[in-house]
């Protein structure tokens, strides 16, 4: 497989201690031409909220560095449907995503009823469509949309042209997914994918605490674990961008620039196999 068949991107979670402007510079120095930016607060992993959703110095500096480096934004993250919170889209999220030139916005759902997820997903797609944004539904076994089949069904029920499914290699594996499942679905369902490796010793499907901990701080770079990443990539439509999302507590003390360079090398090596 040619290394150029899948554009590669740096997901913010890999170096989440960087502010959005710092992320742009770190990614560019490592060789990435695209990035994913988290626009919302991530208190669960100790990251303070970035003041990115209004006109301010952080947004202006991010836009300036994007222009100076030529780095583009693959996606903005992330939205979440919570049963107890009827408003899932923070004010300014879609507007800022469009200003950054993002192509996709990512959403997860904690809604226990699929019908409610479909309803809210349709509303998000309609609103995002006004800004030319695709909406990518990510699944995880500990959320309301547990598997690839569940996510594909929600997208099909939505009947929205800007709806798609986001495959995260870790969540895909932990939910029982195998590469053959991807080939059984329409290629147009996938806009991009998130790639990481993981230990072969996986938490059980009901071990939510450890599954979440692994997702946030226990991922590995491609080649360091046991996931069938080459087969997964081969199953994806050619040309689909791959974003490396690999936060690892074992290397968290390294400078963000070094973690980004290692991520670039590992993902490039995967695509060269």
């Amino acid at each position: 497989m040619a290394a150029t068949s899948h554009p590669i991107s740096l997901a913010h979670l890999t170096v989440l201690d960087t502010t959005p402007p710092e992320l742009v510079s770190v990614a560019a120095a490592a060789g990435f031409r695209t990035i994913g930016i988290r626009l919302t607060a991530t208190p669960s992993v100790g990251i303070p909220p970035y003041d990115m959703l209004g006109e301010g110095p952080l947004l202006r500096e991010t836009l300036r560095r994007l222009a100076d480096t030529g780095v583009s934004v693959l996606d903005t993250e992330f939205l979440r449907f919570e049963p107890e919170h009827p408003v899932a889209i923070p004010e300014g999220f879609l507007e800022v995503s469009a200003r950054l030139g993002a192509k996709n916005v990512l959403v997860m759902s904690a809604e226990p009823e699929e019908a409610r997820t479909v309803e809210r997903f349709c509303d998000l797609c309609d609103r995002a469509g006004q800004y030319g944004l695709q909406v990518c539904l990510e699944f995880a076994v500990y959320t309301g949309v547990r598997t690839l089949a569940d996510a594909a069904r929600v997208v099909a029920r939505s009947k929205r042209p800007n709806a798609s499914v986001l495959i995260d290699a870790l969540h895909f594996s932990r939910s029982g997914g195998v590469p053959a499942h991807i080939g059984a679905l329409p290629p147009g369902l996938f806009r991009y994918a998130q790639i990481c490796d993981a230990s072969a010793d996986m938490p059980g499907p009901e071990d939510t605490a450890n599954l979440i901990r692994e997702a946030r701080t226990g991922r590995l770079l491609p080649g360091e674990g046991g996931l069938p990443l080459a087969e997964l990539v081969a199953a994806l439509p050619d040309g689909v961008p791959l974003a490396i999302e690999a936060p690892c507590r074992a290397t968290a003390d390294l400078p963000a620039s070094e973690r980004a360079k290692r991520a670039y090398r590992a993902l490039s090596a995967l695509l060269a196999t």
Side-chain angles (χ1 to χ4, degrees):
M1 179 180 295
T4 56
S5 63
H6 293 279
I8 62 176
S9 182
L10 179 63
H12 205 161
L13 190 60
T14 305
V15 288
L16 195 55
D17 49 321
T18 61
T19 65
E22 291 168 346
L23 170 66
V24 176
S25 298
V26 163
F32 290 98
R33 305 309 300 157
T34 64
I35 57 174
I37 300 182
R38 288 208 170 193
L39 298 181
T40 53
T42 315
S44 57
V45 288
I47 303 301
Y50 299 124
D51 185 18
M52 285 286 289
L53 298 186
E55 187 63 50
L58 207 59
L59 176 58
R60 289 194 295 271
E61 181 62 15
T62 302
L63 290 167
R64 185 187 70 79
R65 294 196 194 190
L66 288 171
D68 288 348
T69 61
V71 170
S72 62
V73 178
L74 176 65
D75 75 322
T76 51
E77 302 182 4
F78 74 92
L79 302 175
R80 186 176 173 93
F81 300 144
E82 300 280 3
E84 64 273 20
H85 295 114
V87 178
I89 311 172
E91 185 176 354
F93 187 97
L94 297 176
E95 293 86 343
V96 168
S97 296
R99 286 189 63 187
L100 292 168
K103 297 177 176 62
N104 309 281
V105 296
L106 186 153
V107 64
M108 301 184 80
S109 178
E111 288 282 2
E113 297 182 7
E114 184 173 286
R116 181 62 177 147
T117 291
V118 172
E119 178 184 351
R120 300 183 72 172
F121 186 69
C122 288
D123 177 65
L124 173 58
C125 287
D126 291 344
R127 295 175 63 180
Q130 298 174 23
Y131 295 92
L133 295 164
Q134 295 282 325
V135 180
C136 302
L137 178 62
E138 184 175 4
F139 59 92
V141 71
Y142 52 82
T143 69
V145 183
R146 296 171 56 85
T147 67
L148 173 60
D150 294 339
R153 189 170 57 250
V154 169
V155 169
R157 290 182 62 186
S158 77
K159 297 182 174 62
R160 295 308 193 266
N162 62 333
S164 61
V165 172
L166 186 284
I167 288 182
D168 177 302
L170 178 67
H171 296 319
F172 183 56
S173 171
R174 295 326 191 212
S175 65
V178 297
H181 294 160
I182 299 171
L185 294 170
L189 195 63
F190 308 107
R191 296 281 303 178
Y192 70 106
Q194 292 179 334
I195 300 296
C196 70
D197 216 332
S199 168
D201 299 324
M202 61 181 287
E206 305 305 322
D207 189 358
T208 299
N210 278 322
L211 285 166
I212 293 174
R213 186 177 301 112
E214 179 186 48
R216 290 173 177 168
T217 62
R219 299 173 184 241
L220 302 174
L221 293 176
E224 295 180 347
L227 299 187
L229 296 180
E231 293 84 353
L232 188 156
V233 171
L236 290 166
D238 194 42
V240 167
L242 304 178
I244 187 160
E245 184 171 79
C248 181
R249 54 184 169 270
T251 57
D253 290 337
L254 292 175
S257 58
E258 176 62 23
R259 280 175 277 144
K261 290 175 184 176
R262 292 186 180 196
Y264 182 88
R265 291 195 297 265
L267 188 51
S268 298
L270 171 66
L271 292 178
T273 58

